Amino acid sequence: MCVKPLNSDGLLDVWLFDGKGGARRIPADEPHPHRPEEGGFIWLHFRRLPHRSDTWLHTHSGIDSHIVEELMETHTRPRCQVLEEGALLILRAVNLHPNSLPEEMASLTMWVDSERIVSVQDQPISAIADYVDSISRRRAPRTQGEMVAELATRLVYRLDLVVSMLIDEADELEDDAQRQAPSDVLPRVLVLRRVAMKLRRHIAPQREALNHFSLEDDPWIGPKDRNRLRDAADRVSRFSEELDTVRERSILIREQIVDRRAEQMNQSMLVLAAVTVIFAPLTLISGMFGMNVGGIPGNTDPAAFWAITVIFIVMGVGMVWLFRRLKWF
């Protein structure tokens, strides 16, 4: 296997592992060939370049063209495809970079065979950067299976942070729904529900992908690596259940807000109805006394206005007392 200058093809990193815990970083533009030592492997990490059909992966990698197309594909669901010559693993990584949304998950595609790991990312992935830093500090994997298990664990750890953040947000919204105005809380509830649903849709297939990869029977994946992969898959399954819970809680919070709004509207309508019931007869009587026709009682008595005013006040107070006694409001 030959690694030649690949900067123009989106190569980000090249590492040569000796299979004994040692690793050496190879400059991406180094022109001479490199092969892994006996028992070792090489890792080539690429950035996905859109609208490119003539990259090194297509022309010089020796990987089947169908697999290369899968590696370069964007917006793919997590899955694992085990072939005779290797395994294709597609995972999703949560986006924790500044000015980015967590639900806009990045895609990480890996081809693993007996001599190499070829990985392709479409966006920066913090788990990859942290793993490269770990390798630089002499914590290199000994096998391909160990490396994939470590990367999967790091991806799941970051997903745990986001799910925990969503759970805390749901707790806060449940309290705010009782204290703050519905117009302030409802937009946050809708955002929480949208994020939980999108994350759930992206990560749910990841469990099956990791479990399928753990069944690979090649010598470069050991029992410990299988257990770590299954543990990562179980944690992904738990996160899916927690995201379902967050989504259901957001629905309940929204229903509480809608019920609170309906109750406030009912109270307003009740007050309006009570005012209408009280003032409707008073308006009728005052309208009759305001008619400009003969025969109106007290039209020549200066004290008649004040007498009628007192009668109206007594009638209004009496109707308020009666409605309160009947518990109409």
Side-chain angles (χ1 to χ4, degrees):
M1 179 175 51
C2 177
V3 179
K4 62 180 191 175
L6 303 175
N7 285 341
S8 61
D9 288 326
L11 184 67
L12 298 177
D13 239 324
V14 181
W15 284 88
L16 190 64
F17 302 95
D18 59 11
K20 303 174 183 178
R24 181 165 63 92
R25 195 171 201 166
I26 303 173
D29 56 353
E30 191 168 317
H32 51 82
H34 291 277
R35 294 186 60 86
E37 301 176 7
E38 184 68 26
F41 65 98
I42 194 168
W43 174 34
L44 299 96
H45 184 54
F46 290 84
R47 180 184 70 253
R48 184 175 288 111
L49 297 177
H51 312 299
R52 285 292 301 272
S53 59
D54 58 347
T55 64
W56 179 87
L57 287 174
H58 289 89
T59 56
H60 295 89
S61 65
I63 302 175
D64 184 85
S65 59
H66 172 72
I67 300 299
V68 174
E69 291 300 325
E70 293 284 354
L71 286 170
M72 304 306 293
E73 184 65 30
T74 59
H75 306 297
T76 50
R77 289 171 58 86
R79 63 186 179 87
C80 178
Q81 183 178 358
V82 178
L83 304 174
E84 183 177 354
E85 61 271 20
L88 176 71
L89 180 63
I90 303 174
L91 301 176
R92 285 281 187 162
V94 69
N95 198 335
L96 297 179
H97 289 275
N99 302 321
S100 61
L101 300 176
E103 69 271 22
E104 295 178 352
M105 303 187 74
S107 175
L108 176 63
T109 309
M110 290 183 285
W111 169 255
V112 187
D113 59 27
S114 59
E115 287 190 345
R116 61 189 168 181
I117 294 180
V118 178
S119 59
V120 182
Q121 67 180 31
D122 55 358
Q123 301 177 41
I125 299 176
S126 58
I128 296 290
D130 291 347
Y131 189 58
V132 170
D133 181 66
S134 175
I135 296 174
S136 303
R137 289 183 278 111
R138 301 178 183 275
R139 298 179 182 177
R142 291 179 291 274
T143 64
Q144 297 93 309
E146 182 179 344
M147 177 175 170
V148 174
E150 178 66 22
L151 280 175
T153 301
R154 290 174 180 267
L155 294 179
V156 169
Y157 171 74
R158 281 158 178 77
L159 184 60
D160 191 0
L161 298 177
V162 175
V163 174
S164 299
M165 179 186 67
L166 293 178
I167 294 175
D168 294 340
E169 178 69 12
D171 294 338
E172 184 178 349
L173 284 173
E174 286 181 340
D175 296 333
D176 292 344
Q178 304 299 325
R179 299 193 306 258
Q180 299 183 8
S183 58
D184 296 333
V185 181
L186 188 56
R188 295 165 55 196
V189 174
L190 297 178
V191 170
L192 176 66
R193 182 183 178 186
R194 175 176 57 82
V195 173
M197 291 178 63
K198 292 188 70 173
L199 283 178
R200 171 69 170 77
R201 185 173 69 252
H202 287 317
I203 72 170
Q206 196 142 305
R207 175 190 178 186
E208 294 301 324
L210 292 173
N211 280 330
H212 193 184
F213 188 84
S214 68
L215 299 177
E216 177 70 39
D217 58 357
D218 285 310
W220 42 261
I221 180 170
K224 183 178 179 180
D225 305 326
R226 301 181 199 278
N227 290 335
R228 294 188 67 188
L229 288 167
R230 294 191 183 106
D231 179 66
D234 290 340
R235 293 180 66 186
V236 170
S237 178
R238 177 171 61 86
F239 295 153
S240 299
E241 295 172 357
E242 291 178 347
L243 288 172
D244 286 337
T245 302
V246 170
R247 182 177 60 85
E248 293 171 359
R249 290 176 65 185
S250 67
I251 294 175
L252 293 176
I253 295 172
R254 185 179 182 276
E255 291 177 352
Q256 291 177 5
I257 294 174
V258 171
D259 291 344
R260 184 181 171 194
R261 276 183 168 178
E263 183 179 355
Q264 291 175 347
M265 183 170 293
N266 290 338
Q267 290 291 336
S268 301
M269 294 299 295
L270 182 60
V271 172
L272 180 61
V275 172
T276 302
V277 170
I278 292 172
F279 282 93
L282 301 181
T283 302
L284 175 62
I285 297 173
S286 63
M288 293 179 61
F289 276 92
M291 291 187 297
N292 190 19
V293 296
I296 299 298
N299 62 343
T300 59
D301 186 356
F305 170 77
W306 299 108
I308 293 175
T309 301
V310 172
I311 292 173
F312 280 6
I313 293 175
V314 172
M315 289 178 61
V317 172
M319 282 188 286
V320 171
W321 174 83
L322 177 62
F323 293 155
R324 286 189 175 276
R325 184 176 180 82
L326 296 176
K327 297 182 179 179
W328 288 7
F329 66 88

